[in-house]
């Protein structure tokens, strides 16, 4: 969790796998969602975007509908992976718009601005093509 938050790349999912297993039986939905988010982050750091998306989708599906922070982060990360890997089909914009919506609900203006910045990049890049 500390490495993830400090943007220190993860090189293994061993420890986070233990947290995923622990919280899957713990009945703490928020912690389980966060563990799934971190597991996706580990795979993203290890250069496996397909596996990262799989874990991010699990986190999104598990999250409580009022867990705006986790939902914002999951959607932001999925949108960025879709954008970086040119797997568009509109999924990148959809996920980034969702992240903006959740950050807006949280009142997190810096992250709202970042979401809008990324959405703007999508449209700027589309114009160049």
């Amino acid at each position: 969790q500390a490495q993830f938050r400090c943007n220190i790349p993860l090189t293994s999912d061993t420890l986070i796998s233990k947290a995923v297993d622990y919280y899957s039986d713990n009945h703490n939905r928020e912690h389980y969602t966060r563990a799934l988010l971190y597991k996706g982050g580990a795979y993203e750091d290890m250069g496996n975007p397909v596996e990262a998306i799989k874990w991010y989708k699990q986190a999104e599906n598990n999250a409580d509908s009022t867990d705006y922070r986790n939902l914002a982060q999951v959607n932001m990360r999925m949108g960025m992976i879709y954008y970086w890997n040119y797997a568009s089909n509109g999924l990148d914009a959809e996920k980034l718009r969702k992240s903006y919506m959740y950050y807006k609900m949280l009142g997190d203006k810096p992250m709202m601005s970042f979401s809008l910045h990324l959405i703007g990049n999508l449209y700027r890049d589309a114009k160049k093509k």
Side-chain angles (χ1 to χ4, degrees):
Q1 182 177 358
Q3 284 180 276
F4 186 87
R5 287 187 178 177
C6 293
N7 293 318
I8 298 170
L10 302 169
T11 57
S12 170
D13 70 335
T14 304
L15 286 176
I16 196 60
S17 293
K18 292 178 187 290
V20 169
D21 290 342
Y22 175 79
Y23 287 118
S24 68
D25 296 336
N26 189 302
H27 305 295
N28 187 323
R29 193 171 182 180
E30 182 181 356
H31 289 156
Y32 182 54
T33 300
R34 178 87 36 195
L36 294 169
L37 171 66
Y38 295 150
K39 178 105 174 178
Y43 279 104
E44 188 175 350
D45 288 349
M46 292 186 289
N48 190 340
V50 173
E51 194 69 17
I53 288 288
K54 175 184 137 186
W55 289 99
Y56 289 149
K57 284 182 179 179
Q58 284 185 37
E60 182 179 33
N61 291 336
N62 182 74
D64 185 273
S65 62
T66 60
D67 187 0
Y68 303 140
R69 178 70 56 197
N70 282 332
L71 287 167
Q73 289 182 355
V74 165
N75 279 282
M76 172 72 75
R77 289 184 163 273
M78 281 196 286
M80 290 170 65
I81 288 176
Y82 289 136
Y83 176 72
W84 289 331
N85 291 285
Y86 308 103
S88 177
N89 295 336
L91 290 174
D92 47 5
E94 174 190 334
K95 293 299 181 182
L96 292 172
R97 282 187 194 109
K98 278 186 172 182
S99 74
Y100 170 76
M101 176 190 71
Y102 290 123
Y103 284 126
K104 186 175 181 180
M105 290 176 182
L106 289 165
D108 188 334
K109 290 183 181 182
M111 290 308 293
M112 288 168 56
S113 295
F114 186 60
S115 297
L116 290 174
H117 166 75
L118 292 172
I119 292 167
N121 284 347
L122 293 175
Y123 291 105
R124 186 175 51 248
D125 289 349
K127 271 187 133 176
K128 289 180 185 179
K129 293 178 185 178

